[in-house]
Amino acid sequence: MENWVRVLLLVVCLFPAMVECRVRNYTFHVVMKNTTRLCSSKPIVTVNRRFPGPTLYAREDDNVLVKVTNHVKYNVTIHWHGIRQLRTGWSDGPAYITQCPIQPGQSYTYNFTVTGQRGTLLWHAHISWLRATLHGGIVILPKRGVPYPFPKPDEEVVVILGEWWKSDTEVVINQATQSGVAPNVSDAHTINGHPGPLSPCSSQGGGFKLQVESGKTYMLRIINAALNEELFFKVAGHNLTVVEVDATYTKPFTTDTLLITPGQTTNALLTADRGSGKYLVAASPFMDSIVAVDNMTATATVHYSGTLSSTTTTITQPPPQNATPIANKFINSLLSLNSKLYPAKVPLTVDHNLLFTVGLGVNPCATCVNGSKVVAAINNVSFVMPTFSLLQAHYFNISGIFTTDFPGNPPIIFNYSGNPPGTSPANMNTMNGTRLYRLPYNATVELVLQDTGIIAPENHPIHLHGFNFFQVGRGLGNFNPNKDPKNFNLVDPVERNTIGVPSGGWTAIRFTADNPGVWFLHCHLEVHTTWGLKMAFLVDNGKGPNESLLPPPSDLPTC
Ligand code: C2O
């Protein structure tokens, strides 16, 4: 944006009553803070000394400015997970994809406008494993005067689910990478920063307490900020009505259990329809494969006003860890609201038909503990992080940083899902490379994400930056291009930015490439991202300035 336009906008927006525009200014100081949880004390990286970090509030159409200053010894970037960043890829945040990191002692101001989105999202660090403690909520309110498409809740509460390691997560991942084996699983899950009243050494007064009044309705803005685990979420004695996921409205439906993958967000209404009492809230892992997870259940309490403190808490049994039917029931209940005001704009024709295998494998490694290391790949390409930002390389035409030959289909055809088990090859011939898939502006894309069973089938929550997509289909086994598309939902499929690919199955998504720039696609299980389960789309500019990437801001960090 021209500087004078920005100044004019700032001045005009000082009087928000006069015009429909607002500027929201935030200051993030990335600093260390000493904290005690789970019987251990350690310094953690935080924003403004808070864990979880501060919630960012904005209204649809607001211009958000966040000045991030890095006071720690690590390089840092912040990603506004799910924010479309139309033409503002410079503010997206993944390190070496859209920007060089903010180095110790430096600052960078993220500058973006919230367009066509309302609901809950999250922000988090997007470099190494720093997002373990560097994360917080984003609340996008509808435009002034526009109601929610559901009864207005009496109160709203941000509920952030996380994962906690007793040791330093940067050490955990660095040791794992050197040795080639899987990193340790976490030591606890957390709800708003606390493992909860059932945890053996819970400090902080027994965990997060949601104080409610009988008869009122509460909207929980639930965020899974965990690094590596999908979570079930339940409240004893209460049902939850889902109304929105990933900042898009859904057809409301009622359930006793939510499933939420890392990177996903869910708004759910909880009606305090009991007279009084204390009710346990539980967040527990979902894993329907042989992969090890942290099996600790995080807890919190819904506490009715007027309840005696001696009252015993009504507990709830979390679903079994491998409760695939409960997970499927929840996922299959999710549909776009698809109303007149909020239509589901599903692409009905497809320009690019892509099939990406996503999964793990083993590669030789002379320096590793077992002579081999775990790797992860998409279409047999283990993505290599560049040391310079891809978006800058693209914008300034700097060659030698990436290639645009990412395969649109698996280079080797095999029994991807390994159903029956053991029928995938033991080796997928992983190649390394910083390869991008190039799309013209406004191309429509159908992408089938196919899990592989090379080590073991596993659920992969895949996140796409810069776009929302529609989940048009989902199934078990190998995707069948002749049969499966006949059952696609092109009317009201759920719209989101992060989607679980089922263990030993596939998920089909569609999106329109209406956002020029370089956009990361990766598994939101951070350990899989580390191992290479990531790639990027390069979307060309369209015609004229409104369809083109803006120039980089002057304070963009350098590498
Ligand atoms: Cu929430 Cu690329 O991540």
Side-chain angles (χ1 to χ4, degrees):
M1 202 179 333
E2 297 274 357
N3 261 340
W4 67 267
V5 179
R6 200 175 283 169
V7 170
L8 189 75
L9 219 70
L10 259 165
V11 172
V12 172
C13 291
L14 288 176
F15 308 95
M18 288 164 54
V19 284
E20 267 309 305
C21 76
R22 292 277 303 264
V23 179
R24 307 255 176 174
N25 269 295
Y26 284 88
T27 312
F28 277 21
H29 289 285
V30 179
V31 287
M32 299 304 292
K33 172 195 164 80
N34 239 310
T35 187
T36 312
R37 320 244 154 169
L38 279 166
C39 330
S40 79
S41 149
K42 65 167 183 175
I44 58 170
V45 189
T46 67
V47 163
N48 301 350
R49 302 184 56 77
R50 293 173 58 186
F51 173 72
T55 302
L56 212 94
Y57 289 88
R59 227 173 246 291
E60 191 186 336
D61 287 348
D62 281 356
N63 179 210
V64 181
L65 295 159
V66 190
K67 182 176 183 188
V68 179
T69 304
N70 181 3
H71 304 276
V72 301
K73 64 179 180 186
Y74 307 106
N75 282 344
V76 169
T77 69
I78 304 284
H79 167 51
W80 319 94
H81 179 118
I83 296 276
R84 294 275 333 261
Q85 299 289 3
L86 287 161
R87 302 169 55 224
T88 53
W90 308 108
S91 287
D92 192 36
Y96 303 111
I97 305 295
T98 57
Q99 69 168 99
C100 296
I102 308 168
Q103 292 171 22
Q106 296 187 346
S107 300
Y108 177 48
T109 301
Y110 292 88
N111 180 351
F112 54 87
T113 298
V114 182
T115 309
Q117 298 183 283
R118 61 305 280 180
T120 305
L121 295 170
L122 70 155
W123 58 263
H124 62 75
H126 211 307
I127 183 163
S128 190
W129 274 28
L130 290 181
R131 78 175 170 90
T133 58
L134 270 186
H135 60 248
I138 301 177
V139 171
I140 308 168
L141 301 167
K143 290 180 209 182
R144 203 168 283 285
V146 176
Y148 292 132
F150 46 83
K152 188 179 186 312
D154 296 289
E155 271 178 53
E156 303 187 358
V157 191
V158 174
V159 178
I160 302 186
L161 313 179
E163 248 181 303
W164 185 262
W165 276 259
K166 286 184 181 174
S167 41
D168 182 339
T169 43
E170 288 305 287
V171 175
V172 170
I173 188 54
N174 289 338
Q175 284 178 349
T177 302
Q178 268 171 27
S179 62
V181 298
N184 290 343
V185 298
S186 52
D187 297 300
H189 295 109
T190 53
I191 299 178
N192 283 347
H194 303 292
L198 298 192
S199 162
C201 44
S202 179
S203 45
Q204 288 90 17
F208 176 68
K209 198 202 270 183
L210 172 63
Q211 191 77 37
V212 301
E213 267 172 59
S214 186
K216 287 195 170 171
T217 299
Y218 298 80
M219 182 156 79
L220 309 185
R221 295 176 172 272
I222 306 159
I223 295 166
N224 186 346
L227 282 190
N228 296 324
E229 281 165 21
E230 308 200 3
L231 296 166
F232 288 120
F233 181 88
K234 277 181 94 167
V235 181
H238 293 78
N239 279 329
L240 296 161
T241 302
V242 175
V243 291
E244 177 256 296
V245 294
D246 295 5
T248 65
Y249 294 129
T250 63
K251 288 196 174 66
F253 71 96
T254 300
T255 177
D256 61 355
T257 309
L258 303 181
L259 174 70
I260 184 162
T261 80
Q264 289 185 334
T265 50
T266 304
N267 280 5
L269 303 175
L270 176 138
T271 300
D273 51 10
R274 300 296 181 114
S276 67
K278 294 185 205 166
Y279 299 85
L280 200 71
V281 179
S284 62
F286 167 53
M287 170 53 74
D288 56 356
S289 176
I290 55 164
V291 176
V293 288
D294 167 5
N295 60 9
M296 299 287 287
T297 297
T299 55
T301 325
V302 169
H303 191 125
Y304 279 74
S305 320
T307 301
L308 295 176
S309 57
S310 57
T311 307
T312 48
T313 305
T314 305
I315 59 160
T316 180
Q317 209 49 51
Q321 189 178 296
N322 61 356
T324 314
I326 296 179
N328 282 343
K329 184 169 172 242
F330 178 80
I331 293 165
N332 294 333
S333 304
L334 284 169
L335 293 169
S336 281
L337 180 60
N338 192 28
S339 65
K340 228 192 200 136
L341 280 177
Y342 306 101
K345 294 182 186 152
V346 190
L348 297 178
T349 56
V350 173
D351 301 324
H352 289 247
N353 251 300
L354 309 177
L355 175 64
F356 286 5
T357 58
V358 294
L360 308 184
V362 183
N363 274 8
C365 166
T367 58
C368 295
V369 174
N370 303 318
S372 65
K373 63 174 179 186
V374 186
V375 293
I378 303 178
N379 277 352
N380 301 8
V381 181
S382 247
F383 190 85
V384 176
M385 274 313 226
T387 50
F388 186 74
S389 128
L390 297 177
L391 189 62
Q392 270 172 291
H394 162 60
Y395 188 85
F396 292 107
N397 259 313
I398 301 168
S399 62
I401 311 283
F402 63 82
T403 56
T404 53
D405 56 351
F406 189 88
N409 282 281
I412 302 165
I413 293 173
F414 60 95
N415 177 11
Y416 307 120
S417 60
N419 274 322
T423 53
S424 311
N427 178 342
M428 61 173 168
N429 304 303
T430 301
M431 302 160 273
N432 293 330
T434 308
R435 298 163 74 175
L436 274 51
Y437 191 93
R438 187 166 202 154
L439 291 166
Y441 183 82
N442 250 348
T444 52
V445 181
E446 179 176 299
L447 169 58
V448 177
L449 297 156
Q450 170 73 59
D451 182 34
T452 70
I454 290 166
I455 290 189
E458 188 177 347
N459 212 312
H460 295 283
I462 303 294
H463 171 46
L464 175 60
H465 288 226
F467 303 93
N468 279 351
F469 51 73
F470 295 92
Q471 179 199 250
V472 295
R474 182 174 184 271
L476 282 183
N478 297 330
F479 175 70
N480 181 330
N482 301 319
K483 272 204 220 135
D484 290 322
K486 294 196 179 95
N487 301 319
F488 281 178
N489 175 2
L490 302 179
V491 178
D492 59 356
V494 69
E495 177 180 353
R496 45 189 343 166
N497 63 58
T498 306
I499 195 84
V501 177
S503 287
W506 55 270
T507 291
I509 62 172
R510 284 193 184 182
F511 66 97
T512 305
D514 57 358
N515 195 5
V518 175
W519 304 107
F520 210 14
L521 174 112
H522 61 93
C523 182
H524 218 278
L525 305 182
E526 202 57 41
V527 57
H528 293 174
T529 311
T530 306
W531 286 336
L533 214 169
K534 52 197 174 196
M535 58 80 68
F537 286 103
L538 190 168
V539 179
D540 287 321
N541 284 337
K543 288 187 204 89
N546 289 337
E547 297 182 355
S548 299
L549 177 67
L550 289 165
S554 56
D555 61 341
L556 189 71
T558 50
C559 283

